[in-house]
Amino acid sequence: MTAVSRPAGLPRARLPKGRPATWFVWACVAFFLVNLFALILSVVVNSFGTKWFAGWLPQGFTGAWYTDAWSEFALGDVLTVTLEITLVVVALALLIGVPAGYALARRDFPGKRAVLFLLLLPVLLPPITYGIPLATVLYKVHLAGTMTGVVAANLVPALPFVVLVMTPFVEQIDANVESAARMCGARTRQVFTRVLVPLLLPGILAAGILVLVRTVAMFELTFLVADADSQTLIVALYSAAFTPGIRAAQAIDAMAVIYMALSAVLLIVALMFVNPTQIVAQVREAPAE
């Protein structure tokens, strides 16, 4: 038999490239998600379990651990303090950050890149790197151990975060809208409050909720400057788990479930108002002269 030769010019059949690598990546993602789900599920199950020394499930289930955690760790007072601190941080961050984001999006000035770089530092760097010097300063001015000090510490990463989130939202609004409002006789304050704020409302809500989530989850800065009367939920959870004393593991897990549920609800609400890809948008460069 004679071998059939491949016609000249016909490309050789090749297997799709990257398929084993794609399978490996998806396998790693699936492995990570399964482990994460199993870790969360074990905490949730243990928070309802009576005794769990062997087997896949506890010997019984009860909801009494949530009542015990609420009374033992004074979660009512802790949640009140957490709510007060986060609301003040969100209000101040939006009050200052929205105009600052507008200025960065609409104005070109010397040192603009340096300002953007400085704003990125508290967002990108781990909080502990600047938290210790910040706590030292707050202790020297006698603000540590107070709610004012906790608010000031949490504003350091929250304010640049709002500015960086709001800048791409402002850039998406055509500057001709502001020019048209000014031609109709609107002043700068009226342009900002009656024209820009309604258009920026989704971004403002998203930035506020994301700052709320970050403040609730901010452990390092709050831990360094808070005392027993100004600690948030995450610091109280850490204290319950690692400070000396005998505490039921189920009660601590119940407290962790409350914290996870609060953070998850806030994050879901934030994702209803913002597309995460909008936060990564870059500020437009100044036109070349």
Side-chain angles (χ1 to χ4, degrees):
M1 296 179 64
T2 59
V4 179
S5 60
R6 181 175 57 88
L10 185 65
R12 294 179 180 272
R14 296 181 180 179
L15 294 175
K17 293 183 178 180
R19 181 170 295 178
T22 303
W23 289 345
F24 177 76
V25 170
W26 279 111
C28 291
V29 172
F31 179 77
F32 170 78
L33 293 178
V34 168
N35 279 272
L36 180 62
F37 178 76
L39 180 63
I40 296 175
L41 184 62
S42 65
V43 175
V44 175
V45 172
N46 190 47
S47 67
F48 289 99
T50 54
K51 296 180 181 179
W52 195 2
F53 296 107
W56 288 95
L57 293 174
Q59 298 178 5
F61 295 93
T62 179
W65 296 115
Y66 287 86
T67 305
D68 295 342
W70 190 273
S71 58
E72 181 180 357
F73 304 124
L75 290 185
D77 297 334
V78 171
L79 288 175
T80 301
V81 172
T82 302
L83 182 62
E84 292 175 353
I85 291 175
T86 51
L87 289 180
V88 173
V89 170
V90 169
L92 292 177
L94 291 179
L95 186 63
I96 304 173
V98 174
Y102 173 82
L104 282 176
R106 289 287 191 257
R107 300 291 184 267
D108 294 318
F109 51 88
K112 182 177 179 179
R113 292 183 178 274
V115 172
L116 289 174
F117 176 74
L118 293 177
L119 289 174
L120 281 172
L121 287 180
V123 179
L124 298 179
L125 292 178
I128 196 66
T129 57
Y130 57 87
I132 295 177
L134 177 62
T136 303
V137 174
L138 292 177
Y139 273 101
K140 287 184 178 180
V141 297
H142 306 289
L143 287 179
T146 63
M147 292 185 62
T148 304
V150 176
V151 170
N154 282 274
L155 270 177
V156 173
L159 181 57
F161 183 79
V162 171
V163 175
L164 294 175
V165 169
M166 291 306 304
T167 299
F169 277 95
V170 176
E171 289 181 338
Q172 293 174 6
I173 299 176
D174 193 350
N176 293 327
V177 175
E178 303 173 43
S179 302
R182 288 191 173 90
M183 289 179 61
C184 294
R187 298 181 179 179
T188 302
R189 182 178 60 84
Q190 294 174 330
V191 171
F192 193 81
T193 57
R194 297 188 180 184
V195 177
L196 290 178
V197 170
L199 294 175
L200 293 174
L201 189 59
I204 294 174
L205 292 175
I209 297 174
L210 289 174
V211 168
L212 188 66
V213 174
R214 287 173 60 91
T215 306
V216 171
M218 181 58 67
F219 168 75
E220 295 91 341
L221 299 180
T222 306
F223 176 76
L224 291 173
V225 299
D227 62 357
D229 297 327
S230 59
Q231 62 180 357
T232 57
L233 180 59
I234 182 63
V235 177
L237 176 60
Y238 179 87
S239 301
F242 295 103
T243 53
I246 300 175
R247 301 175 182 86
Q250 293 91 334
I252 298 176
D253 286 344
M255 189 176 179
V257 171
I258 294 174
Y259 168 74
M260 287 190 296
L262 177 63
S263 301
V265 169
L266 293 175
L267 186 59
I268 291 173
V269 173
L271 293 177
M272 293 172 58
F273 294 98
V274 65
N275 183 357
T277 57
Q278 293 176 325
I279 304 176
V280 197
Q282 295 180 348
V283 180
R284 291 175 299 187
E285 297 182 359
E289 295 182 359

